Amino acid sequence: MPVNESSTASGPTTLNHAMQILQVTARGGHRGASIDDYLNALSFSRPTLYRLLKGLKQQGFLRSSPVRGRYLLGYELLVLGAQAGNGAGLRDLARPRLLALAQRWGDSFYLFARDGVNAVCLEVQNGAYPVGSFVRATGGRLPLGVGQASIALLAYLSADERDEILSHNAERLIDEYAIAIADIDAEIAHQLKHGYARGVEGSLLPEYSGLAIPILDHSGHPLGAMSCSMLKSRMTEDHKREVLQGMQEEVAAMVNQAHGLLYLD
């Protein structure tokens, strides 16, 4: 059935408003968001807000909080998010491997993928010695250039694409993370020479250290990166060597498994 001109024109605006509502709700955390929270943060009218809240709730993207008059993100977002973070089955394949690494070595292990100029955390498993990180949970985002996983993702892009991303992120990297492009370039060179990334030394988490290796398809394109974060006091040469070997073995097995699944009927 044809769509009339007025509905077509209003479509992008309605979509933008709905996304803004979800963002305000997310910022509310476990408490959710109230009507006043939405009205204070957003520029559209109260009737528009009520109409969109009703529609988002009907679709499962919002739900009522136990606290009267507040809204929480809906469970339908979990369904969509699980699929969005599972390109090529990567998340399903990585999850048990990250858990095994965390249980064996005790550190925190992550799966990251590129999303435009950002790196997004698709999965995290903590061991007996969990540590702080630039991302706190699955779904956390970082500008590419921050953290060891970013280095592993950037290193295998073309030079032109990498330069475009870092140019876009440069101001934010220095202002928010005290990371210079020259230091990122040095760590990319280390990744390409040694096969693993360390991240930029001396950024905002000086007591922590980390390692990452790329997850490359059979053409050499980066599908993602497996990352480990730990206290610097735990980064002995023996522990570093053992963790890297464990990660490399798991990534190789995961890539081979993913490749094999492509040929299953």
Side-chain angles (χ1 to χ4, degrees), residues 77-138:
L77 291 169
L78 290 175
V79 177
L80 296 179
Q83 292 304 312
N86 199 33
L90 197 61
R91 189 180 180 193
D92 286 345
L93 294 174
R95 185 180 295 113
R97 301 178 187 281
L98 295 174
L99 179 59
L101 289 166
Q103 290 177 335
R104 183 176 182 184
W105 304 116
D107 303 305
S108 297
F109 290 84
Y110 303 81
L111 172 67
F112 279 87
R114 178 189 169 195
D115 184 15
V117 298
N118 298 309
V120 59
C121 178
L122 301 184
E123 186 69 32
V124 56
Q125 295 290 341
N126 292 310
Y129 305 96
V131 299
S133 172
F134 287 114
V135 296
R136 297 180 180 178
T138 300

Coordinates of all heavy atoms in Angstrom, one line a residue, residues 77-138:
L77 N 14.8 -5.5 23.4 CA 16.2 -5.0 23.1 C 17.2 -6.0 23.3 O 18.3 -6.0 22.6 CB 16.5 -3.7 23.9 CG 15.6 -2.5 23.5 CD1 15.8 -1.4 24.5 CD2 16.0 -2.0 22.1
L78 N 17.0 -6.9 24.3 CA 18.0 -8.0 24.5 C 18.0 -8.9 23.3 O 19.0 -9.4 22.9 CB 17.7 -8.7 25.8 CG 17.9 -8.0 27.1 CD1 17.4 -8.9 28.3 CD2 19.4 -7.7 27.3
V79 N 16.8 -9.2 22.8 CA 16.7 -10.1 21.7 C 17.4 -9.5 20.5 O 18.2 -10.2 19.8 CB 15.2 -10.4 21.3 CG1 15.1 -11.3 20.1 CG2 14.5 -11.0 22.5
L80 N 17.2 -8.3 20.2 CA 17.8 -7.6 19.0 C 19.3 -7.5 19.3 O 20.1 -7.7 18.4 CB 17.2 -6.3 18.8 CG 15.7 -6.2 18.4 CD1 15.3 -4.8 18.2 CD2 15.5 -7.0 17.1
G81 N 19.7 -7.2 20.5 CA 21.1 -7.0 20.8 C 21.9 -8.3 20.7 O 23.0 -8.3 20.2
A82 N 21.3 -9.4 21.1 CA 22.0 -10.7 21.0 C 22.3 -11.0 19.5 O 23.3 -11.5 19.2 CB 21.1 -11.8 21.6
Q83 N 21.4 -10.7 18.6 CA 21.6 -10.9 17.2 C 22.5 -9.9 16.6 O 23.4 -10.3 15.8 CB 20.2 -10.9 16.4 CG 19.3 -12.1 16.8 CD 20.0 -13.4 16.6 OE1 20.6 -13.7 15.6 NE2 19.9 -14.3 17.6
A84 N 22.4 -8.7 17.0 CA 23.3 -7.6 16.4 C 24.8 -7.9 16.8 O 25.7 -7.6 16.0 CB 22.9 -6.3 17.0
G85 N 25.0 -8.5 18.0 CA 26.3 -8.8 18.4 C 26.8 -10.2 18.0 O 27.8 -10.6 18.6
N86 N 26.2 -10.8 17.1 CA 26.5 -12.2 16.8 C 26.7 -12.4 15.3 O 26.4 -13.5 14.8 CB 25.3 -13.1 17.3 CG 25.8 -14.6 17.5 OD1 27.0 -14.8 17.8 ND2 24.9 -15.5 17.2
G87 N 27.3 -11.4 14.7 CA 27.7 -11.6 13.3 C 28.6 -12.7 13.1 O 29.6 -12.9 13.8
A88 N 28.3 -13.6 12.1 CA 29.0 -14.8 11.8 C 29.0 -15.8 12.9 O 29.9 -16.6 13.0 CB 30.5 -14.4 11.3
G89 N 28.1 -15.6 13.9 CA 28.1 -16.5 15.0 C 29.2 -16.2 16.0 O 29.5 -17.0 16.9
L90 N 29.9 -15.1 15.9 CA 31.1 -14.8 16.6 C 30.9 -14.8 18.1 O 31.7 -15.4 18.9 CB 31.7 -13.5 16.2 CG 33.1 -13.2 16.5 CD1 34.0 -14.2 15.8 CD2 33.5 -11.8 16.1
R91 N 29.8 -14.2 18.5 CA 29.6 -14.1 20.0 C 29.3 -15.5 20.6 O 29.8 -15.8 21.7 CB 28.4 -13.1 20.3 CG 28.2 -12.8 21.7 CD 27.1 -11.8 21.9 NE 26.9 -11.5 23.3 CZ 25.8 -10.9 23.8 NH1 24.8 -10.5 22.9 NH2 25.7 -10.6 25.0
D92 N 28.5 -16.2 19.9 CA 28.2 -17.6 20.4 C 29.4 -18.4 20.5 O 29.6 -19.2 21.4 CB 27.1 -18.3 19.5 CG 25.7 -17.7 19.7 OD1 25.5 -17.0 20.7 OD2 24.9 -18.0 18.9
L93 N 30.3 -18.3 19.5 CA 31.5 -19.1 19.5 C 32.5 -18.6 20.5 O 33.2 -19.4 21.1 CB 32.2 -19.0 18.1 CG 31.4 -19.7 16.9 CD1 32.1 -19.4 15.6 CD2 31.3 -21.2 17.2
A94 N 32.5 -17.3 20.8 CA 33.5 -16.7 21.7 C 33.1 -16.9 23.2 O 34.0 -17.1 24.0 CB 33.7 -15.2 21.4
R95 N 31.8 -16.9 23.5 CA 31.4 -16.9 24.9 C 32.0 -18.0 25.7 O 32.6 -17.7 26.8 CB 29.9 -16.9 25.0 CG 29.4 -16.7 26.4 CD 27.9 -16.8 26.5 NE 27.3 -15.6 25.8 CZ 26.6 -15.7 24.7 NH1 26.3 -16.9 24.1 NH2 26.1 -14.6 24.1
P96 N 31.9 -19.3 25.3 CA 32.5 -20.3 26.2 C 34.0 -20.3 26.2 O 34.6 -20.7 27.2 CB 32.0 -21.6 25.5 CG 31.6 -21.2 24.1 CD 31.2 -19.8 24.2
R97 N 34.6 -19.8 25.2 CA 36.1 -19.7 25.1 C 36.6 -18.6 26.1 O 37.6 -18.8 26.8 CB 36.5 -19.5 23.7 CG 36.1 -20.6 22.8 CD 36.6 -20.3 21.3 NE 36.0 -21.3 20.4 CZ 36.4 -22.6 20.3 NH1 37.5 -23.0 21.0 NH2 35.8 -23.4 19.5
L98 N 35.9 -17.5 26.1 CA 36.2 -16.4 27.1 C 36.0 -16.9 28.5 O 36.9 -16.6 29.4 CB 35.4 -15.2 26.8 CG 35.6 -14.5 25.5 CD1 34.5 -13.3 25.3 CD2 37.0 -13.9 25.3
L99 N 35.0 -17.6 28.7 CA 34.7 -18.1 30.1 C 35.8 -19.1 30.5 O 36.3 -19.1 31.6 CB 33.3 -18.8 30.1 CG 32.9 -19.5 31.4 CD1 32.9 -18.4 32.5 CD2 31.6 -20.2 31.3
A100 N 36.2 -20.0 29.6 CA 37.3 -20.9 29.9 C 38.6 -20.2 30.2 O 39.3 -20.6 31.1 CB 37.5 -21.9 28.7
L101 N 38.9 -19.2 29.4 CA 40.1 -18.4 29.7 C 40.1 -17.7 31.0 O 41.0 -17.7 31.8 CB 40.3 -17.4 28.6 CG 40.7 -18.0 27.2 CD1 40.6 -16.9 26.1 CD2 42.2 -18.5 27.2
A102 N 38.9 -17.1 31.3 CA 38.8 -16.4 32.6 C 38.9 -17.4 33.8 O 39.5 -17.0 34.8 CB 37.4 -15.7 32.6
Q103 N 38.3 -18.5 33.7 CA 38.4 -19.5 34.7 C 39.8 -20.1 34.9 O 40.3 -20.3 36.0 CB 37.4 -20.7 34.5 CG 35.9 -20.2 34.6 CD 35.0 -21.4 34.3 OE1 35.3 -22.3 33.5 NE2 33.8 -21.3 34.8
R104 N 40.5 -20.2 33.8 CA 41.9 -20.8 33.8 C 42.9 -19.8 34.4 O 43.7 -20.1 35.2 CB 42.3 -21.2 32.4 CG 43.6 -21.9 32.4 CD 44.0 -22.4 31.0 NE 45.2 -23.1 31.0 CZ 45.8 -23.6 29.9 NH1 45.2 -23.5 28.7 NH2 47.0 -24.2 30.0
W105 N 42.8 -18.5 33.9 CA 43.9 -17.6 34.2 C 43.4 -16.5 35.3 O 44.3 -15.9 35.8 CB 44.3 -16.8 32.9 CG 44.8 -17.8 31.9 CD1 44.2 -17.9 30.6 CD2 45.9 -18.7 31.9 NE1 44.9 -18.9 29.9 CE2 45.9 -19.4 30.7 CE3 46.8 -19.0 32.9 CZ2 46.9 -20.4 30.4 CZ3 47.8 -20.0 32.6 CH2 47.8 -20.6 31.4
G106 N 42.1 -16.3 35.5 CA 41.7 -15.5 36.5 C 41.5 -14.0 36.1 O 41.0 -13.2 36.9
D107 N 41.9 -13.6 34.9 CA 41.8 -12.2 34.5 C 40.4 -12.0 33.8 O 39.5 -12.9 33.8 CB 42.9 -11.9 33.5 CG 44.3 -12.2 34.2 OD1 44.5 -11.6 35.2 OD2 45.1 -12.9 33.6
S108 N 40.2 -10.8 33.3 CA 39.0 -10.4 32.6 C 39.2 -10.5 31.1 O 40.2 -9.9 30.5 CB 38.6 -9.0 32.9 OG 38.3 -8.9 34.3
F109 N 38.3 -11.2 30.4 CA 38.5 -11.4 28.9 C 37.3 -10.9 28.2 O 36.1 -11.0 28.6 CB 38.7 -12.9 28.6 CG 40.0 -13.4 29.1 CD1 40.1 -13.8 30.4 CD2 41.0 -13.5 28.2 CE1 41.4 -14.3 30.9 CE2 42.3 -14.0 28.7 CZ 42.4 -14.4 30.0
Y110 N 37.5 -10.3 27.0 CA 36.5 -9.5 26.3 C 36.5 -10.0 24.8 O 37.6 -10.3 24.2 CB 36.8 -8.0 26.3 CG 36.9 -7.4 27.7 CD1 38.0 -7.5 28.4 CD2 35.8 -6.8 28.2 CE1 38.1 -7.0 29.7 CE2 35.9 -6.2 29.5 CZ 37.0 -6.3 30.2 OH 37.1 -5.7 31.5
L111 N 35.4 -9.8 24.2 CA 35.2 -9.9 22.7 C 34.8 -8.5 22.2 O 33.8 -7.9 22.7 CB 34.2 -10.9 22.3 CG 33.8 -10.9 20.8 CD1 35.0 -11.4 20.0 CD2 32.6 -11.8 20.6
F112 N 35.6 -7.9 21.3 CA 35.3 -6.6 20.7 C 35.1 -6.7 19.2 O 35.7 -7.6 18.6 CB 36.4 -5.6 21.0 CG 36.3 -4.9 22.3 CD1 37.0 -5.5 23.4 CD2 35.7 -3.7 22.5 CE1 37.0 -4.9 24.7 CE2 35.7 -3.1 23.8 CZ 36.3 -3.7 24.8
A113 N 34.3 -5.9 18.7 CA 34.1 -5.7 17.2 C 34.1 -4.3 16.8 O 33.8 -3.4 17.7 CB 32.9 -6.4 16.7
R114 N 34.4 -4.0 15.6 CA 34.4 -2.6 15.1 C 32.9 -2.2 14.8 O 32.2 -3.0 14.2 CB 35.3 -2.5 13.9 CG 35.2 -1.1 13.3 CD 35.9 -1.0 12.0 NE 35.6 0.3 11.3 CZ 35.8 0.6 10.1 NH1 36.3 -0.4 9.3 NH2 35.6 1.8 9.6
D115 N 32.6 -1.0 15.1 CA 31.3 -0.4 14.7 C 31.6 1.0 14.3 O 31.6 1.9 15.1 CB 30.3 -0.5 15.9 CG 28.9 0.0 15.5 OD1 28.6 0.1 14.3 OD2 28.1 0.3 16.4
G116 N 31.8 1.2 13.0 CA 32.1 2.5 12.5 C 33.5 3.0 13.0 O 34.5 2.3 12.8
V117 N 33.5 4.1 13.7 CA 34.7 4.6 14.3 C 34.9 4.2 15.7 O 35.8 4.7 16.4 CB 34.7 6.2 14.2 CG1 34.7 6.6 12.7 CG2 33.6 6.8 15.0
N118 N 34.1 3.3 16.2 CA 34.1 2.8 17.6 C 34.4 1.3 17.6 O 34.3 0.6 16.6 CB 32.8 3.1 18.2 CG 32.4 4.5 18.3 OD1 33.2 5.3 18.8 ND2 31.2 4.9 17.9
A119 N 34.8 0.9 18.8 CA 34.9 -0.5 19.1 C 33.8 -0.8 20.2 O 33.6 0.0 21.1 CB 36.3 -0.9 19.7
V120 N 33.0 -1.9 20.0 CA 31.9 -2.2 20.9 C 32.2 -3.5 21.5 O 32.7 -4.5 20.9 CB 30.6 -2.2 20.1 CG1 30.6 -3.2 19.0 CG2 29.4 -2.5 21.1
C121 N 32.0 -3.6 22.8 CA 32.2 -4.9 23.6 C 31.0 -5.8 23.4 O 29.8 -5.4 23.7 CB 32.4 -4.6 25.0 SG 32.6 -6.0 26.1
L122 N 31.2 -7.0 22.8 CA 30.1 -7.9 22.5 C 30.0 -8.9 23.6 O 28.9 -9.5 23.8 CB 30.4 -8.7 21.2 CG 30.5 -7.8 19.9 CD1 30.7 -8.7 18.7 CD2 29.3 -6.9 19.8
E123 N 31.1 -9.1 24.4 CA 31.0 -10.2 25.5 C 32.1 -9.9 26.5 O 33.2 -9.5 26.1 CB 31.1 -11.6 24.9 CG 30.9 -12.7 25.9 CD 29.5 -12.8 26.4 OE1 28.6 -12.5 25.6 OE2 29.3 -13.2 27.5
V124 N 31.9 -10.2 27.7 CA 32.9 -10.1 28.8 C 32.7 -11.2 29.8 O 31.6 -11.5 30.1 CB 32.9 -8.7 29.5 CG1 31.5 -8.4 30.1 CG2 34.0 -8.6 30.5
Q125 N 33.8 -11.8 30.2 CA 33.8 -12.8 31.2 C 34.9 -12.5 32.2 O 36.1 -12.3 31.8 CB 34.1 -14.2 30.6 CG 33.0 -14.7 29.7 CD 31.7 -15.0 30.4 OE1 31.7 -15.2 31.6 NE2 30.6 -15.1 29.7
N126 N 34.6 -12.4 33.5 CA 35.6 -12.1 34.5 C 36.0 -13.3 35.3 O 35.2 -14.2 35.6 CB 34.9 -11.1 35.5 CG 34.7 -9.7 34.9 OD1 35.6 -9.2 34.2 ND2 33.5 -9.2 35.0
G127 N 37.3 -13.4 35.6 CA 37.8 -14.5 36.4 C 37.9 -14.1 37.8 O 37.2 -13.2 38.3
A128 N 38.8 -14.8 38.5 CA 38.9 -14.5 40.0 C 39.5 -13.2 40.3 O 39.4 -12.7 41.5 CB 39.7 -15.7 40.6
Y129 N 40.2 -12.6 39.3 CA 40.8 -11.3 39.6 C 40.3 -10.2 38.6 O 41.0 -9.7 37.7 CB 42.3 -11.4 39.4 CG 43.0 -12.5 40.3 CD1 43.2 -13.7 39.8 CD2 43.3 -12.2 41.6 CE1 43.8 -14.7 40.6 CE2 43.8 -13.2 42.4 CZ 44.1 -14.4 41.9 OH 44.6 -15.4 42.7
P130 N 39.0 -9.9 38.6 CA 38.4 -9.0 37.7 C 39.0 -7.6 37.9 O 39.4 -7.2 39.0 CB 36.9 -9.0 38.0 CG 36.9 -9.4 39.5 CD 38.0 -10.4 39.6
V131 N 39.1 -6.8 36.8 CA 39.7 -5.5 36.9 C 38.8 -4.5 36.3 O 37.9 -4.8 35.6 CB 41.1 -5.5 36.2 CG1 42.1 -6.5 36.9 CG2 40.9 -5.8 34.7
G132 N 39.2 -3.2 36.5 CA 38.5 -2.1 35.8 C 38.8 -2.1 34.4 O 39.8 -2.6 33.9
S133 N 38.0 -1.4 33.6 CA 38.2 -1.4 32.2 C 37.5 -0.1 31.6 O 36.7 0.6 32.3 CB 37.6 -2.6 31.5 OG 37.6 -2.4 30.1
F134 N 37.9 0.3 30.4 CA 37.2 1.4 29.8 C 35.8 1.2 29.5 O 35.0 2.1 29.4 CB 37.9 1.8 28.5 CG 39.3 2.5 28.7 CD1 40.4 1.8 28.3 CD2 39.4 3.7 29.2 CE1 41.7 2.4 28.4 CE2 40.6 4.3 29.4 CZ 41.8 3.7 29.0
V135 N 35.4 -0.1 29.4 CA 34.0 -0.5 29.2 C 33.6 -1.3 30.4 O 34.4 -2.1 31.0 CB 33.7 -1.3 27.9 CG1 34.0 -0.5 26.7 CG2 34.5 -2.6 27.9
R136 N 32.4 -1.1 30.9 CA 32.0 -1.8 32.1 C 31.1 -3.1 31.9 O 31.0 -3.9 32.8 CB 31.2 -0.8 33.0 CG 32.0 0.4 33.5 CD 31.1 1.3 34.3 NE 31.9 2.5 34.7 CZ 31.4 3.5 35.4 NH1 30.1 3.4 35.8 NH2 32.2 4.5 35.8
A137 N 30.6 -3.2 30.7 CA 29.7 -4.3 30.4 C 29.6 -4.5 28.9 O 30.0 -3.7 28.1 CB 28.3 -4.1 31.1
T138 N 28.9 -5.6 28.6 CA 28.6 -5.8 27.2 C 27.8 -4.6 26.6 O 26.9 -4.1 27.3 CB 27.7 -7.1 27.1 OG1 28.5 -8.2 27.6 CG2 27.3 -7.4 25.6

